[in-house]
């Protein structure tokens, strides 16, 4: 009988292509490459922003110029040339006052390819969706339904104009413009993103969703998301990301800020599937993202992420547990294959009393990839009775990949209880053979084992996205076990 | 049903099976006994299609079809079932989910639609009752933290669900106390009928008190050196394997 060898697997792996690697011919307006104060001003002008916003951007830009790129992450890549990137690209037909019927048919065709037909979305219950292509938001569904509850869900550009008091108050309040190199860059040049405000005591009746897409070549995408849950409110938010396959690397540097006021709860789920580069490690998206949430009294923020894409991932969704009794959670599945590198984890900053945090991280490495978990649990001196539980599990496939765990713990209060558990395992030939013997083919067996490994995190995703995430895991790891 | 002819197999160039001949007909129970290292587990692995073993000569046929070119899962779809000596753990995958996947893969291979959920539930209920399995057990992760007895009972439960043509029980009695042994053996007896066959691979005779074989074969150094009825097992129990060795010399 023919033996299924590593070579066969490699061939199979090579034939598998990134599903979302198409490029749509859209009539776009793209700024010349390069970055200086004039470009920052031009972006702000293009978007018709008030002066305070322009100045805010310029301040960020000036700080950014003084900063240097961080090098502490366990990733190796050629640094992007920030002067070779265009900082603004917009499909020309996007009109800020659009309705779905006005959307460019080519754009609609692209959404269909992405499997998120807007027509369908319109009819589908419980998911309101905002779609950001390259730099601008092109469609927000369900705006009216949400408005009836007083919920604001729109692009951040619109929010700057329509709700300046909210934006002004909260933007940069959790991730200050000078927070880090990429956050400063984003603050200077962010082009669009989503804005969401849930009024006091309102339980948002549907999932809010943003879909990000990089389309144009040689552009960076810098979205800015701001979610504010007012006292006693609840919202579940999801973002999805794809990009075309390109030879050169594309830069993505987003900032997401969450604010959960007293007794509020925010669930933020991400399914990240940016182009990971080809099998030789050429191309792919550099994903340098700053995500952070602030919890006031009794508030709760849960980050759930399924990270399967990007050539480089640098991302640490964090919670600042400022209010007493507040809760932070981080559930993560990070998959790396071929030459992908991921350095991801979380920071849980316990400031208030009786604050609790939970970290469940599942790393899956295949091919020649490197997958690192990096997490910080910090307990301040006044955080009486703080609790943390961290669990970091790694699953390895084959002999050429790596899994790394870098947990940092800083406790300044003796009443703190911090637990950390970590495991590393390998998908065994015996597991696969056992499944085979029960009639389950190898590919399916791996999917089953990986899904079992990731189950605790998958369970945290909203139902419809859990199914999508499972499929994504399967696709990302096809043919990756020997 | 199962026809093994002059089967030679090796692992890492070391020949383990050195010409096995065995005919198993529908409705029969065969037992293979032999000392440690005689090739018993290799035989079961080779029939199931484990790719770590290379078949160098001879053939294994199921209902006249040569299995040589078939992948392990394809053999399973045709009705080969192996109850493992050491069932593996798959964390996070429940027994139910695992069985659902396995059954639907069998159905797909045989050109059938997926089994509807209610039918699946009914089947699970029926088979778990047959094997005195607590329903709670079915929601646990496959073999994770199972006792030796639970693991083996789970193997027989899977056999009941998949209804194979030929079931190979590899050292199913190892690690079982007498109660667990009885439950497992009763399960196998209930599943046995005129259209399937069972091959019991065991080191000790005690399982054969419960699963009574029609034929007993002695495997030594990769060959079947003696065959007989169930009384042969008793004789082996009493006298060990040495007398056969000396008989051969």
């Amino acid at each position: 009988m023919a033996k299924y060898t590593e070579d066969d697997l490699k061939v199979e792996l090579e034939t598998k292509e990134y599903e979302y690697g198409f490029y749509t011919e859209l009539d776009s307006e793209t700024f010349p490459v390069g970055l200086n104060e004039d470009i920052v001003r031009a972006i702000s002008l293009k978007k018709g922003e008030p002066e305070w916003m322009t100045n805010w951007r310029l301040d960020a830009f000036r700080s950014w110029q003084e900063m240097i790129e961080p090098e502490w992450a366990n990733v190796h890549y050629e640094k992007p040339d920030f002067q070779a990137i265009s900082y603004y690209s917009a499909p020309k037909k996007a009109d800020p006052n659009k309705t779905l019927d006005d959307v460019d048919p080519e754009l609609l065709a692209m959404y269909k390819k992405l499997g998120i037909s807007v027509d369908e979305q319109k009819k589908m219950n419980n998911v309101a969706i905002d779609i950001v292509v390259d730099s601008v938001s092109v469609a927000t569904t369900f705006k009216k339904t949400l408005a009836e509850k007083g919920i604001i869900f729109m692009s951040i550009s619109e929010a700057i104009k329509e709700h300046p008091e909210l934006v002004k108050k909260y933007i940069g309040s959790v991730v200050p413009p000078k927070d880090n190199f990429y956050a400063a860059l984003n603050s200077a040049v962010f082009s669009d993103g989503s804005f969401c405000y849930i009024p006091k005591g309102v339980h948002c009746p549907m999932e809010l969703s943003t879909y990000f897409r990089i389309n144009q070549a040689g552009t960076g995408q810098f979205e800015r998301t701001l979610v504010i849950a007012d006292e006693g409110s609840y919202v579940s938010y999801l973002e999805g990301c794809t990009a075309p396959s390109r030879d050169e690397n594309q830069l993505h540097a987003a900032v997401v800020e969450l604010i959960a006021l007293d007794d509020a709860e925010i669930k933020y789920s991400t399914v990240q599937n940016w182009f990971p580069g080809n099998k030789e490690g050429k191309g792919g998206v550099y994903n340098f993202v700053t995500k952070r949430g602030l919890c006031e009294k009794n508030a709760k923020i849960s980050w759930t992420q399924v990270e399967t894409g990007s050539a480089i991932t640098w991302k640490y969704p964090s919670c600042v547990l400022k209010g007493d009794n507040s809760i932070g959670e981080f559930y993560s599945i990070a998959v790396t294959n071929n030459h992908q590198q991921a350095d991801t984890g979380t920071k849980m900053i316990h400031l208030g009393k009786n604050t609790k945090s939970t970290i469940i991280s599942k790393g899956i490495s295949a091919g020649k990839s490197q997958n690192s978990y990096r997490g910080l649990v910090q307990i301040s001196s006044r955080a009486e009775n703080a609790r943390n539980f961290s669990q970091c599990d790694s699953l390895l496939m084959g002999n050429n990949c790596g899994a790394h765990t870098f947990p940092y713990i800083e406790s300044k209060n003796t009443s703190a209880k911090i637990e950390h558990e970590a495991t590393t395992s390998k998908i065994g030939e015996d597991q696969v053979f056992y499944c085979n013997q029960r009639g389950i083919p190898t590919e399916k067996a791996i999917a089953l084992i990986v899904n079992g490994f990731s189950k605790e995190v998958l369970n945290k995703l909203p139902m419809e996205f859990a199914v999508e995430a499972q499929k994504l895991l399967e696709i990302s790891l096809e043919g990756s076990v020997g | 049903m199962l026809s093994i002819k002059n089967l030679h197999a090796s692992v890492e160039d070391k020949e383990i099976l050195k010409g096995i001949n065995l005919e198993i007909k529908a409705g029969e129970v065969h037992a293979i006994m032999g000392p440690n290292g005689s090739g018993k587990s290799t035989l079961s692995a080779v029939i199931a299609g484990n790719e770590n073993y290379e078949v160098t000569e001879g053939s294994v046929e199921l209902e006249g079809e040569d299995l040589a070119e078939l992948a392990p899962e394809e053999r399973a779809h045709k009705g080969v079932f192996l109850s493992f000596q050491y069932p593996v753990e798959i964390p996070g995958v429940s027994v139910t989910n695992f069985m659902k996947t396995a059954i639907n893969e069998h159905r797909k291979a045989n050109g059938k639609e997926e089994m509807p959920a209610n039918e699946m539930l009914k089947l699970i209920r029926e088979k778990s009752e047959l094997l005195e399995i607590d329903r709670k057990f079915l929601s646990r992760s496959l073999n994770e933290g199972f006792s030796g007895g639970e693991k083996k009972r789970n193997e027989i439960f899977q056999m009941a669900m998949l209804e194979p043509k030929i079931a190979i029980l590899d050292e199913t009695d190892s690690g079982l106390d007498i109660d667990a042994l009885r439950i497992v053996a009763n399960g196998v007896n209930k599943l046995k009928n005129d259209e399937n066959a069972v091959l019991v691979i065991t080191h000790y005779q005690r399982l054969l008190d419960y699963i009574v074989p029609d034929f007993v074969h002695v495997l030594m150094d990769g060959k079947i050196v003696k065959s007989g009825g169930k009384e042969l097992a008793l004789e082996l129990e009493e006298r060990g394997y040495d007398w056969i060795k000396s008989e051969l010399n």
Side-chain angles (χ1 to χ4, degrees), chain B residues 108-225:
Chain B
K108 199 162 97 188
N110 293 309
K112 287 194 222 163
E113 295 282 300
E114 288 200 351
M115 189 182 275
N118 56 348
E119 210 177 300
M120 183 80 71
L121 277 174
K122 208 179 126 213
L123 186 68
I124 288 174
R125 198 171 304 142
E126 191 188 303
K127 302 297 185 186
S128 58
E129 270 161 26
L130 183 77
L131 296 166
E132 301 169 52
I133 285 173
D134 185 349
R135 212 77 57 74
K136 265 185 256 157
F137 173 85
L138 302 172
S139 60
R140 287 170 59 188
S141 286
L142 189 74
N143 292 318
E144 200 182 29
F146 284 19
S147 69
E150 284 173 330
K151 281 185 184 168
K152 295 302 167 74
R153 216 190 296 183
N154 181 28
E155 293 291 287
I156 305 305
F157 169 68
Q158 295 184 31
M159 170 182 160
M161 292 289 289
L162 295 170
E163 298 180 335
K165 291 194 183 120
I166 173 86
I168 306 156
L169 310 183
D170 189 5
E171 306 272 0
T172 292
D173 51 333
S174 70
L176 293 192
D177 61 30
I178 200 75
D179 292 328
L181 185 70
R182 196 156 39 216
I183 292 168
V184 165
N186 281 343
V188 174
N189 289 331
K190 284 181 195 161
L191 297 171
K192 215 190 78 189
N193 60 40
D194 291 344
E195 272 144 34
N196 60 24
V198 179
L199 177 60
V200 182
I201 291 177
T202 182
H203 189 79
Y204 300 105
Q205 188 271 337
R206 64 172 193 162
L207 179 63
L208 305 180
D209 285 343
Y210 300 95
I211 305 173
V212 181
D214 300 303
F215 301 93
V216 174
H217 311 276
V218 179
L219 186 65
M220 278 177 122
D221 193 25
K223 276 185 190 160
I224 289 176
V225 292

Side-chain angles (χ1 to χ4, degrees), chain A residues 1 431 434 437-439 455, chain B residues 68 70 77 82 89 155 158:
Chain A
M1 197 173 113
Q431 279 176 316
Y434 186 88
Q437 209 301 305
R438 295 300 184 255
K455 198 168 119 195
Chain B
L70 299 183
H77 300 152
L82 172 60
E89 296 180 2
E155 293 291 287
Q158 295 184 31

